[in-house]
Each structure stands twice: as C-alpha cells, then as structure tokens.
Amino acid sequence: MHINIPQNSKVLQYLSGTKTGMPAFAAWNSVPDPYYGCGCHPDIVERLWDRIGPALPKNGRCLIHGTPALAHPKSGVILALGIGTQYGLRLTTSLADEAIRAGAKKENIWSDGSRMNIQDTLGNDWFFGCWSSNESAWCRTVYDWMEHSP
C-alpha cells in the first residue's frame, strides 16, 4: 500500500520520530504479537482492529512505523491510529461536531502531565477517540468518502 501521500505527511512525520527502524507500512500480522508488542495498550489495538475496523468493507488493519492503524486500502489514507493509551480518528468536517458532542477531544493530557494537541501533531482532521458507539460509522463514512475522492 502506498501511504506516502500528502494526507498522511504529518502522521508519518510524527511516527517516524517515535519509532526508528520500523518500515513505514507493514501488514498487521507481520510482527509476532501486534496486540501487545507495538507500543499501544492492547485495549487500543482491539478497539481499532476488532471494534472499529470491521465496519470497513475491506480490511484496513496495518502497522504504520510499527504502530497499529487502519488505512484505506485503495487511497492509502490513514483513517485511525493507536497512540499509546489513546487512539486517533481522522474525521470529515461534517462529522467533527457530532464527534465533539460524543466526547472526542483535540487535546490529551498524558500521565506525565505533558499535553498533545492531535490536530497540531497529525492534522486538522484528527480527533482523539472517545469510545463512542458511533466511531465505527464515522470511520466507515470517511472510508466511503476516500473511496470516491480523486
């Protein structure tokens, strides 16, 4: 899958600085234990791959610089990403207000007190997930949008 596209530039830049020596893209099952061995809490990996991912028409599970993610198989656009004990979702502008009402956030405060604004780090279309039952549908909406965009 070709992921070196403009829509992914900030995500790839962020991840390349966190995990050196990992390929930019790899199959989800290319490592011995992706649920426990890729730097994300296993609940986050399960949320992405087993709860949100099945809503997609084609399997989007992958590793981006060794990090569990969902990507659109045709366009290569990264749709969701594990970030340690959190996860990020790429959303269309039309979904942003609904996601915020459901609890999605732009900023996270980590256990060490540091802050991360996901939109500054990954792009304006990213939000921290909120364990909403609507996230599968949101991800599917973005997937479908990518399917029909040039």
Side-chain angles (χ1 to χ4, degrees), residues 96-119:
D97 288 339
E98 179 185 343
I100 290 169
R101 283 193 304 274
K105 305 262 187 232
K106 298 176 187 178
E107 186 173 78
N108 185 60
I109 302 172
W110 302 107
S111 60
D112 67 359
S114 64
R115 295 175 181 265
M116 177 182 179
N117 181 310
I118 197 167
Q119 294 186 340

Side-chain angles (χ1 to χ4, degrees), residues 4 15 36 53 62-64 67 71 78 95-97 111 116 124 127 130-131 133 142 144 148:
N4 290 319
L15 290 176
Y36 285 87
C62 62
L63 297 171
I64 307 294
T67 300
I78 300 166
L95 293 170
D97 288 339
S111 60
M116 177 182 179
N124 291 334
F127 292 84
C130 59
W131 298 84
S133 60
V142 175
D144 289 345
H148 297 59

Side-chain angles (χ1 to χ4, degrees), residues 27-145:
W28 72 274
N29 57 358
S30 62
V31 296
D33 191 354
Y35 284 80
Y36 285 87
C38 290
C40 290
H41 193 283
D43 289 346
I44 298 301
V45 182
E46 179 185 7
R47 178 74 180 156
L48 292 177
W49 287 351
D50 301 337
R51 302 291 176 249
I52 296 173
L56 306 179
K58 294 183 180 172
N59 186 357
R61 293 181 290 178
C62 62
L63 297 171
I64 307 294
H65 285 284
T67 300
L70 293 171
H72 189 281
K74 179 180 167 188
S75 69
V77 171
I78 300 166
L79 305 172
L81 180 69
I83 309 171
T85 56
Q86 298 290 327
Y87 60 99
L89 300 171
R90 184 186 299 264
L91 300 175
T92 61
T93 304
S94 63
L95 293 170
D97 288 339
E98 179 185 343
I100 290 169
R101 283 193 304 274
K105 305 262 187 232
K106 298 176 187 178
E107 186 173 78
N108 185 60
I109 302 172
W110 302 107
S111 60
D112 67 359
S114 64
R115 295 175 181 265
M116 177 182 179
N117 181 310
I118 197 167
Q119 294 186 340
D120 289 346
T121 304
L122 303 183
N124 291 334
D125 48 355
W126 284 90
F127 292 84
F128 282 106
C130 59
W131 298 84
S132 169
S133 60
N134 294 331
E135 289 175 341
S136 294
W138 299 340
C139 198
R140 174 63 189 262
T141 297
V142 175
Y143 180 102
D144 289 345
W145 187 80

Side-chain angles (χ1 to χ4, degrees), residues 10-27:
K10 288 184 91 171
V11 176
L12 296 174
Q13 179 181 4
Y14 168 72
L15 290 176
S16 68
T18 62
K19 292 186 178 180
T20 57
M22 303 297 287
F25 175 84

